[in-house]
Amino acid sequence: MTAAKGRSLLDWDTALTGRLAVCSSPDSKYGSLRPVMRCLEYSCHGIAWLVCAGVAVFAAHQIELHEKLLNLISALFVDIVFVGLCKALVRRKRPFQNNNDMMTISVDKYSFPSGHASRAVMVACFILAQFSLGFTFQILIIVWSVCICLSRILLGRHHVIDVIFGVILGFVEYQLVVSFLWLPRDLCEGLIRPIQEELHL
């Protein structure tokens, strides 16, 4: 009975995803929006975030920024590890609507969970909690995060359940980093200052 219910849930998830993947190809119902969806996809790519955060941490000269940016990088690596482990264990195939035109590495070819969804939520939580932003920027961060999650389904990259679990995972990752894995300010400063001085930054 339990197995049957599980299969029924997956069938429902697959059917719902098929109806919602309206941007999965140029010929889809809203295929004209694919360029927008692809821009959202790239805006939350893990490599892009790691590179930008890495450049920012060495360009910054405030101790407080060193601490926050290094912990953001740490959180990004936590996300990579958790998502990678889940995908390696579950090995759920991506929706058949998916147009295989994205950059994937190793287990990233699998669907569960959505790494973009977990990363978007984790990054949004981190930025909103750790950086002092005006109301407009806070709204923009929230809207960006929601749009990333929705775009994964509209593009046919992930099933609905993949994205829902990714959202939950993103919240959990942020709490894990803040509560147990936070790098102290002195350590961050000790790591960054010598490199900046060596490079005359």
Side-chain angles (χ1 to χ4, degrees):
M1 181 65 70
T2 301
K5 288 183 178 179
R7 176 53 57 187
S8 177
L9 177 62
L10 291 177
D11 290 342
W12 170 85
D13 186 32
T14 299
L16 179 60
T17 300
R19 291 196 294 271
L20 295 176
V22 293
C23 301
S24 59
S25 73
D27 299 326
S28 299
K29 184 176 181 179
Y30 295 103
S32 60
L33 293 177
R34 272 182 65 80
V36 177
M37 300 296 150
R38 294 301 305 279
C39 287
L40 285 168
E41 183 172 61
Y42 286 121
S43 76
C44 195
H45 199 285
I47 294 176
W49 273 94
L50 283 171
V51 170
C52 290
V55 171
V57 76
F58 287 111
H61 291 279
Q62 295 92 347
I63 298 176
E64 182 181 4
L65 279 179
H66 288 166
E67 178 186 6
K68 291 179 178 180
L69 290 169
L70 267 184
N71 278 286
L72 175 58
I73 293 172
S74 172
L76 289 168
F77 277 112
V78 168
D79 176 66
I80 290 172
V81 170
F82 272 77
V83 171
L85 286 174
C86 287
K87 290 191 175 190
L89 291 172
V90 178
R91 294 175 176 265
R92 187 183 192 188
K93 293 181 179 179
R94 290 187 182 273
F96 69 86
Q97 294 88 357
N98 177 46
N99 191 343
N100 194 22
D101 57 352
M102 59 180 179
M103 294 188 300
T104 57
I105 302 173
S106 186
V107 294
D108 203 34
K109 64 184 179 181
Y110 297 115
S111 185
F112 182 91
S114 168
H116 274 71
S118 66
R119 190 177 307 112
V121 170
M122 183 275 292
V123 167
C125 289
F126 193 102
I127 292 176
L128 291 173
Q130 302 299 327
F131 293 90
S132 299
L133 301 175
F135 178 75
T136 301
F137 285 105
Q138 291 178 346
I139 295 299
L140 287 175
I141 290 294
I142 294 172
V143 170
W144 170 80
S145 178
V146 171
C147 287
I148 291 294
C149 296
L150 292 176
S151 72
R152 308 314 290 161
I153 300 171
L154 298 178
L155 277 172
R157 301 295 199 213
H158 293 279
H159 300 91
V160 174
I161 289 178
D162 304 338
V163 174
I164 292 174
F165 188 86
V167 169
I168 296 171
L169 182 60
F171 281 114
V172 172
E173 289 170 347
Y174 173 70
Q175 292 299 327
L176 179 65
V177 169
V178 171
S179 301
F180 302 103
L181 302 176
W182 191 264
L183 303 176
R185 182 169 298 184
D186 290 345
L187 175 61
C188 295
E189 189 67 3
L191 292 172
I192 298 302
R193 282 299 185 195
I195 299 176
Q196 286 183 319
E197 291 172 1
E198 184 69 23
L199 299 175
H200 303 289
L201 297 175

